[in-house]
Amino acid sequence: MDRVTSSDGVNYGAVLALAAISFMLLRKWIAGGVCKSCARLDGKTVVITGANTGIGRETARDMAHRGARVIMACRDLTRAESTAEYIRRSTGNGNVVIRHLNLASLYSVREFAKEFIATEERLDILINNAGVMMCPKWITEDGFETQLAVNHLGHFLLTNLLLGMLKRSSPSRVVNVSSVAHVGGTGVSSYCLHPGVIRTELNRHILLWYPMLKTILSLPSMLLMKTPWQGAQTSIYCAVIEGLERKSGCYFRMAAQLKALFELRPLLYSDCAEKHPAPEGEDDAVARRLWEESAQLVGLNNLH
Ligand SMILES: NC(=O)c1ccc[n+]([C@@H]2O[C@H](COP(=O)([O-])OP(=O)(O)OC[C@H]3O[C@@H](n4cnc5c(N)ncnc54)[C@H](OP(=O)(O)O)[C@@H]3O)[C@@H](O)[C@H]2O)c1
């Protein structure tokens, strides 16, 4: 019978160590950029939509950690309250409040904005983070397809309703997580970003239809997807980094210096760096048309 020698043991150990180091390096590479700014936000007010889970929750926690008054704009107040409590406890900042906002309802967006303007003194950073992906073909109470309503129209109306407050608090910022609204030349700067591929609840609707996917994808997602904290870094970067005003209207994704090295990486991962959007995203005529159509759909012109 073969005997296991001490050199076999060393080999196994070496293989295991190599595998562990490779795994750690892979995870570090996947994690991407981290916002290194130590900027404080004392005295500033930040609104984050969809802050009860995923990227929004980590973004809210970071803003609270920097001393901001954080308004978590959420539709599920029970989940929001437990997240708010966790943020208050883990950051020591008690100035974290929740307000009801259902982006699938234009009425709810208007009510949120009305209450916010009546009760808050300022708005320094608006982070349009909430979103749904591939939900069933639901139609909202206003007659819109739900993904369009939540991801675009609700945020479009919200931003416009809060624009006066943002201007009065300037220099202020609007950060759009995967959105296209641009606001410029007003002391209010606006950024759009792709956070990467993150392990959050965004795939909840897909899993409803294909529950087996959860099992099949669990290992690859552990290995290849960012954590919510890592996914929040580009939002945080756009919200706090000093001197970013001159990049207003820009789109942020992956670190440019890595692009040449890893051609696959830009598809999956995003860091705190500027990136060219798809050509349609730089087409002024398309942007104008989108703006006009959106304004008409949400009844913006009738508000002023
Ligand atoms: N995860 C990724 O890989 C990835 C990639 C690219 C872009 N993004 C973008 O990143 C943003 C955050 O997504 P995530 O990955 O953190 O997903 P998530 O874990 O599913 O979080 C989405 C958040 O949006 C909220 N929300 C959904 N519908 C809403 C509505 N009608 N009104 C108000 N809030 C609503 C959710 O609230 P409930 O908990 O109440 O449903 C939740 O707080 C989204 O805009 C998404 O499109 C994510």
Side-chain angles (χ1 to χ4, degrees):
M1 213 170 100
D2 292 341
R3 287 177 52 205
V4 178
T5 63
S6 61
S7 69
D8 290 332
V10 170
N11 288 345
Y12 282 131
V15 169
L16 270 179
L18 197 66
I21 291 169
S22 309
F23 179 70
M24 272 157 38
L25 287 174
L26 177 72
R27 287 298 312 165
K28 191 159 173 41
W29 177 66
I30 284 165
V34 170
C35 177
K36 298 202 175 78
S37 168
C38 299
R40 295 285 311 166
L41 297 175
D42 306 283
K44 310 242 180 213
T45 299
V46 182
V47 168
I48 307 170
T49 66
N52 57 287
T53 186
I55 299 169
R57 177 175 120 131
E58 290 303 325
T59 310
R61 202 166 87 90
D62 182 280
M63 299 294 115
H65 190 66
R66 292 170 193 273
R69 173 170 171 76
V70 176
I71 315 278
M72 297 170 52
C74 301
R75 65 174 168 176
D76 182 335
L77 295 184
T78 312
R79 286 188 84 194
E81 185 46 48
S82 73
T83 300
E85 192 42 41
Y86 157 74
I87 294 175
R88 288 182 204 115
R89 248 186 299 111
S90 60
T91 63
N93 181 349
N95 209 353
V96 177
V97 293
I98 55 172
R99 294 243 198 282
H100 184 258
L101 172 66
N102 178 6
L103 286 152
S105 157
L106 296 181
Y107 173 79
S108 172
V109 174
R110 289 198 184 94
E111 286 298 298
F112 173 89
K114 211 191 295 173
E115 192 194 336
F116 185 88
I117 292 165
T119 55
E120 296 291 330
E121 283 170 12
R122 55 186 303 116
L123 175 55
D124 301 276
I125 305 173
L126 168 63
I127 303 181
N128 291 324
N129 163 83
V132 286
M133 182 178 76
M134 294 176 73
C135 52
K137 227 176 173 187
W138 293 324
I139 301 299
T140 67
E141 63 190 32
D142 306 296
F144 303 123
E145 187 280 321
T146 298
Q147 191 162 320
L148 174 73
V150 174
N151 294 14
H152 175 61
L153 293 173
H155 281 125
F156 177 82
L157 179 61
L158 179 70
T159 306
N160 275 283
L161 293 175
L162 297 180
L163 196 53
M165 194 96 162
L166 283 158
K167 284 184 190 167
R168 282 196 293 284
S169 314
S170 71
S172 49
R173 296 184 182 187
V174 179
V175 178
N176 297 304
V177 182
S178 273
S179 183
V180 289
H182 291 319
V183 189
T186 54
V188 184
S189 48
S190 141
Y191 312 95
C192 180
L193 67 102
H194 172 60
V197 181
I198 329 292
R199 217 162 51 237
T200 63
E201 297 173 38
L202 194 65
N203 60 2
R204 62 182 94 174
H205 297 296
I206 306 172
L207 294 181
L208 273 184
W209 297 109
Y210 306 105
M212 277 302 286
L213 270 183
K214 191 167 187 167
T215 317
I216 296 167
L217 292 180
S218 58
L219 185 63
S221 72
M222 276 244 315
L223 285 173
L224 298 173
M225 291 166 96
K226 288 183 176 188
T227 65
W229 180 81
Q230 290 161 349
Q233 294 306 307
T234 310
S235 301
I236 296 165
Y237 178 89
C238 289
V240 305
I241 204 85
E242 298 85 350
L244 204 65
E245 282 71 19
R246 66 199 154 82
K247 298 276 184 190
S248 181
C250 288
Y251 173 64
F252 288 78
R253 231 176 82 172
M254 52 99 41
Q257 68 272 22
L258 285 176
K259 185 172 186 287
L261 274 178
F262 304 106
E263 276 306 316
L264 181 66
R265 199 172 189 282
L267 298 176
L268 294 176
Y269 310 117
S270 291
D271 298 331
C272 310
E274 189 188 341
K275 176 82 177 68
H276 275 291
E280 296 86 346
E282 293 184 308
D283 185 326
D284 286 348
V286 171
R288 196 170 309 111
R289 183 154 172 240
L290 177 65
W291 187 278
E292 286 163 5
E293 295 276 343
S294 305
Q296 199 181 349
L297 286 174
V298 301
L300 196 64
N301 299 333
N302 307 332
L303 289 175
H304 300 294

